[in-house]
Amino acid sequence: MTDSPKNSPTILIVEDNLNSVQVLGTILMDAKYRVAIAREGRLVLDMLPKVQPDLILLDIMMPEMDGYQVCKTLKTNPSFRDIPIIFLTVKNDTEDIVKGFDLGAADFVTKPFRAKELLARIQTHITLMRLQQDLKKRNSELEEALANVRTLSGLIPICSYCKKIRNTEGDWEKLESYIREHTNSDFSHGICPDCSKAHFPQYNKRP
């Protein structure tokens, strides 16, 4: 991996053509991206846990395992499916482009590369990915906060006589049912000393 600022996004180039790798690498490094390279599609899965790229530039035409196969494999793997993939291709047929999008590709860039266009597309998809990650994090935090609101906290309306609790729908339910619904707790029933004396005095008489 090339040396760039540690907070710079990492781009994984998957390309078997050495000339294309050199051109792409130069464009990306000049733009201060960190760059990793896989010369074969089958090497990608082994590299991803170590590289952890923010985006993948993936050539379609490669021997043994082409770009379509690599994309399909990544998009069916929960650990990697959210990484945006931009296909690199000399193809511009509608059928080929649609096939790539159907497999989960984020975009296409045709060869030969135009540096400004390539960098603009990369920046767009990295920004989108990070916004989606931030949204997921915020949703998770919101769900956790809502879960905490539903737990036993604050003022709970409880009947002074039968001890039933009024739920958020306005219905009255047994204390045990309410606690089971709003917490991870369950009950193990027993008899306290005071109730034992009140309800079973015959067993509490001293000899």
Side-chain angles (χ1 to χ4, degrees):
M1 185 182 297
T2 57
D3 292 327
S4 289
K6 290 185 177 181
N7 59 346
S8 297
T10 298
I11 311 298
L12 174 60
I13 300 172
V14 186
E15 167 70 78
D16 66 326
N17 184 288
L18 182 58
N19 184 58
S20 294
V21 171
Q22 291 174 336
V23 172
L24 284 168
T26 299
I27 293 172
L28 296 173
M29 287 186 289
D30 286 347
K32 306 303 181 184
Y33 286 107
R34 305 182 78 198
V35 177
I37 298 167
R39 295 290 301 280
E40 297 179 37
R42 61 184 179 83
L43 299 177
V44 176
L45 283 176
D46 292 333
M47 291 184 63
L48 286 181
K50 305 171 187 175
V51 175
Q52 297 182 351
D54 296 276
L55 182 140
I56 298 174
L57 294 176
L58 178 60
D59 185 31
I60 291 180
M61 304 298 292
M62 292 185 294
E64 295 187 27
M65 191 175 188
D66 66 21
Y68 292 131
Q69 292 172 303
V70 173
C71 183
K72 182 177 180 180
T73 301
L74 296 182
K75 293 304 177 180
T76 55
N77 188 317
S79 299
F80 309 129
R81 64 186 174 198
D82 291 334
I83 303 174
I85 294 174
I86 297 180
F87 272 129
L88 306 173
T89 180
V90 294
K91 297 183 175 184
N92 55 12
D93 294 337
T94 300
E95 184 177 345
D96 295 321
I97 293 174
V98 170
K99 180 179 179 180
F101 284 130
D102 286 343
L103 291 172
D107 211 341
F108 275 78
V109 171
T110 56
K111 300 176 182 179
F113 315 111
R114 291 187 289 271
K116 288 185 178 180
E117 178 187 352
L118 175 65
L119 293 174
R121 290 176 184 269
I122 288 173
Q123 184 58 54
T124 294
H125 291 295
I126 289 178
T127 299
L128 285 173
M129 179 197 65
R130 291 184 172 178
L131 287 173
Q132 289 171 349
Q133 290 175 337
D134 185 60
L135 180 60
K136 285 182 179 180
K137 180 180 178 182
R138 290 178 181 272
N139 285 340
S140 178
E141 291 172 348
L142 178 60
E143 289 175 0
E144 183 178 353
L146 288 173
N148 290 334
V149 169
R150 296 190 186 102
T151 60
L152 293 177
S153 60
L155 185 63
I156 299 173
I158 185 169
C159 177
S160 301
Y161 295 95
C162 68
K163 306 305 180 185
K164 286 183 180 179
I165 292 177
R166 189 175 66 210
N167 59 31
T168 54
E169 286 75 33
D171 299 322
W172 292 88
E173 58 182 306
K174 290 183 178 180
L175 176 63
E176 292 94 333
S177 300
Y178 186 87
I179 292 178
R180 285 194 187 99
E181 182 180 350
H182 294 81
T183 73
N184 295 322
S185 301
D186 207 340
F187 289 88
S188 174
H189 291 86
I191 302 175
C192 72
D194 291 339
C195 289
S196 177
K197 292 176 182 178
H199 297 284
F200 303 98
Q202 67 273 26
Y203 298 113
N204 290 275
K205 293 179 180 180
R206 293 186 179 180

